[in-house]
Amino acid sequence: MPDQSAPVTRIAPSPTGFMHIGTARTALFNWLYARGRGGKFYLRIEDTDQARSTREATDAILRGMRWLGLDWDGEVKSQAEGAARHAEVARQMLAAGTAYKCFSTQDEIAAFREEARAAGRSTLFRSPWRDARPETHPDAPFAIRVKAPQSGQTVIKDRVQGDVVIRNDQLDDMILLRSDGTPTYMLAVVVDDHDMGVSHVIRGDDHLNNAARQMLVFNAMGWDVPVWAHIPLIHGEDGKKLSKRHGALGVEDWQKAGYPARAMLNYLARLGWSHGDDEYFTMHQALEWFELDSIKKSPARFDTKKLASLSSQHIAAMEDGALIEEIAAYLAVNGWPALTAQKNAALQSALYCLKDRARDFGELLEKAHFVLTDKPIDPDEKAQKALDPVSKGILSELTPHLRNDSWDRDTLEGIVSQVAEAHGLKLGKLAAPLRAALAGRSVTPSVFDMMLVLGREETIARLEDASSR
Ligand code: GLU
């Protein structure tokens, strides 16, 4: 038996493009709130606007949710499929007198607004049919409108914003069912939230005004109003509302950029919510800590540097298996070829010296170049410069020593230091040519780690190649 007091939340994205990071953050907050309390978390695709909704956008949302590991209960719900139920509720409201038939045509409504504007009055449409007696109804198409209160005020008790007061004379009699029989989005949201048993609506504060109008339907139907928590939108580093100017907005773009899902989750959780001074944490901790009361009232600013810093900490802490899996997904989402089983095994053996200080998978793979590439090593321009004739001579002196002694870090350090000293050089002076010979790159793990990972045969072969070229 589910706990009756456990919360039920949902994420209700409109599938009209990519999955916005704001949507991902809202999903995360809802997920944390429900999952941390043994509740339910649902995914509802708000596809009532058939002209704007696309299958691709829904797929992008599902991919984003799966990448982040935000699992939902039951099936994905399509709002459009509930149209008959939504219409039924509109008709129930009609029968109960909390809604009415409005026969005003588009032209009449436009004329009303024009006149109101000219006279300097509110352009909020006031239907002449609100109190019309049924005998006066024409035999013509009609919309069903809610009978909203016209005086007094509506108070939204919001867990983030506090009490938000909306004057009722600012609410119009919104349409519930259009004259073509299709339900409006505003009606559909309320019916779905009620039917799904949603107890807490956590969403962007751009929906705060909608809450006042949606409450009309909850009240008219005698349904429990959910707990509202409207969270401030995410802003860019300049304090302006996040937009394309600020860089990538899609969740998938951040996956493509090589950030692990757990770093993204950690970062998104910190966007507008905090637990003391904790910056780095796991989802396990966030599940324990998440509270609506610690959501901030002011907009959070997206800070790519902070994300990169969290990402580096998560990469360093990740288990090898999880890293290998996420790197495979990173390659796939970028449309790059997968690693062969052999390369994957080589990469895995090197992870211990690659994990530290990689801000993203791109950086990690760049450092992994030495295990992912095959002989003969093709040095890049910078590495090529390190392979001058003197250095090549020294490298060739190294190989005989490497053949006999044991293959461990201390021995290798001893051999390289000895050869360096014989030439009056510091050990560090040999690092660049060794990196160039072993990896063909200048940014690599330590040369001793590379030697240990590559093994004796491969190391010697690469040194010989470099010194004879
Ligand atoms: N479909 C809305 C959106 O994508 C969310 C509505 C809601 O959460 O109530 O912004």
Side-chain angles (χ1 to χ4, degrees):
M1 261 303 274
D3 176 357
Q4 292 303 308
S5 64
V8 177
T9 66
R10 60 15 175 221
I11 179 71
S14 307
T16 56
F18 51 93
M19 185 180 186
H20 195 282
I21 50 164
T23 305
R25 183 196 49 167
T26 304
L28 172 62
F29 282 14
N30 279 285
W31 182 87
L32 284 172
Y33 193 72
R35 291 276 181 263
R37 290 165 179 74
K40 297 262 181 226
F41 169 67
Y42 295 118
L43 171 57
R44 180 172 82 224
I45 302 292
E46 301 214 310
D47 49 359
T48 39
D49 187 347
Q50 298 281 2
R52 291 179 64 223
S53 304
T54 66
R55 181 68 225 175
E56 291 73 38
T58 298
D59 289 345
I61 292 164
L62 300 184
R63 280 198 306 275
M65 295 287 287
R66 290 197 181 109
W67 174 54
L68 293 169
L70 300 177
D71 59 329
W72 57 89
D73 288 295
E75 300 285 312
V76 177
K77 191 171 162 71
S78 150
Q79 187 159 65
E81 283 172 14
R85 163 71 182 148
H86 306 146
E88 177 194 330
V89 170
R91 281 191 289 272
Q92 282 172 11
M93 287 175 64
L94 194 59
T98 51
Y100 62 92
K101 292 181 182 175
C102 171
F103 296 89
S104 298
T105 62
Q106 289 300 333
D107 288 346
E108 285 165 358
I109 295 170
F112 173 96
R113 294 223 163 94
E114 195 47 48
E115 217 173 284
R117 201 170 294 122
R121 287 195 311 265
S122 156
T123 56
L124 221 57
F125 179 59
R126 296 293 180 203
S127 170
W129 299 100
R130 181 177 158 112
D131 299 309
R133 289 198 322 275
E135 313 83 85
T136 64
H137 285 175
D139 182 16
F142 59 88
I144 298 182
R145 288 181 183 270
V146 70
K147 213 177 239 182
Q150 294 182 331
S151 59
Q153 54 190 36
T154 297
V155 181
I156 304 160
K157 295 202 164 303
D158 195 276
R159 286 287 293 275
V160 177
Q161 313 280 340
D163 283 0
V164 180
V165 179
I166 309 261
R167 275 176 30 210
N168 288 340
D169 62 6
Q170 291 173 348
L171 299 176
D172 65 347
D173 290 347
M174 66 173 175
I175 295 181
L176 304 171
L177 204 66
R178 298 184 193 90
S179 57
D180 64 3
T182 58
T184 57
Y185 161 73
M186 292 292 276
L187 171 66
V189 171
V190 176
V191 175
D192 287 349
D193 280 343
H194 170 265
D195 289 358
M196 290 160 82
V198 171
S199 62
H200 291 69
V201 170
I202 306 167
R203 63 186 175 191
D205 66 7
D206 50 334
H207 288 284
L208 198 49
N209 276 321
N210 288 347
R213 308 173 85 203
Q214 289 166 359
M215 263 168 63
L216 297 174
V217 180
F218 279 108
N219 291 337
M221 292 301 291
W223 292 340
D224 285 343
V225 177
V227 173
W228 308 107
H230 287 91
I231 51 183
L233 300 185
I234 304 171
H235 284 191
E237 273 161 69
D238 55 4
K240 303 220 170 80
K241 203 181 134 190
L242 200 62
S243 74
K244 286 219 176 76
R245 270 179 315 111
H246 294 105
L249 295 181
V251 168
E252 210 152 30
D253 295 323
W254 293 98
Q255 186 187 15
K256 283 188 181 155
Y259 294 107
R262 62 191 72 193
M264 201 68 209
L265 288 167
N266 181 171
Y267 182 66
L268 289 174
R270 280 288 293 110
L271 271 180
W273 172 80
S274 63
H275 178 263
D277 293 332
D278 293 304
E279 291 291 348
Y280 171 87
F281 46 81
T282 63
M283 276 309 102
H284 187 73
Q285 289 169 307
L287 280 167
E288 233 167 68
W289 296 339
F290 189 80
E291 291 282 357
L292 296 179
D293 300 328
S294 353
I295 296 176
K296 291 197 192 59
K297 260 174 127 167
S298 53
R301 292 189 186 199
F302 198 88
D303 177 352
T304 314
K305 277 206 203 85
K306 197 154 141 187
L307 167 60
S309 145
L310 288 173
S311 172
S312 143
Q313 294 176 65
H314 279 281
I315 290 177
M318 272 169 89
E319 305 261 332
D320 290 357
L323 266 176
I324 293 289
E325 232 173 73
E326 271 220 56
I327 290 172
Y330 159 73
L331 295 173
V333 75
N334 277 298
W336 297 330
L339 297 177
T340 60
Q342 193 200 359
K343 293 278 181 237
N344 249 330
L347 176 63
Q348 183 143 0
S349 70
L351 279 178
Y352 80 93
C353 63
L354 300 168
K355 282 195 228 185
D356 285 336
R357 286 191 293 276
R359 279 174 299 193
D360 54 58
F361 295 139
E363 285 189 7
L364 187 146
L365 288 175
E366 177 59 28
K367 272 169 77 186
H369 183 73
F370 80 102
V371 274
L372 299 177
T373 190
D374 293 313
K375 289 197 301 287
I377 304 299
D378 184 18
D380 65 15
E381 212 178 310
K382 213 165 156 197
Q384 186 65 56
K385 286 208 183 98
L387 291 171
D388 55 77
V390 177
S391 304
K392 286 203 249 183
I394 304 177
L395 292 187
S396 67
E397 276 176 42
L398 264 176
T399 44
H401 298 281
L402 296 175
R403 279 192 207 289
N404 303 317
D405 266 322
S406 57
W407 200 255
D408 57 63
R409 187 181 302 267
D410 286 347
T411 313
L412 293 173
E413 275 191 33
I415 295 171
V416 177
S417 313
Q418 207 184 326
V419 172
E421 260 168 44
H423 287 266
L425 295 172
K426 288 240 168 70
L427 182 84
K429 280 282 175 208
L430 279 192
L434 276 168
R435 287 181 203 281
L438 297 174
R441 292 283 190 275
S442 43
V443 180
T444 71
S446 93
V447 293
F448 304 111
D449 280 321
M450 287 196 286
M451 288 175 155
L452 289 169
V453 169
L454 292 170
R456 190 194 305 269
E457 294 313 314
E458 183 70 19
T459 299
I460 291 175
R462 290 187 187 197
L463 292 181
E464 282 178 347
D465 273 356
S467 49
S468 64
R469 209 178 296 136

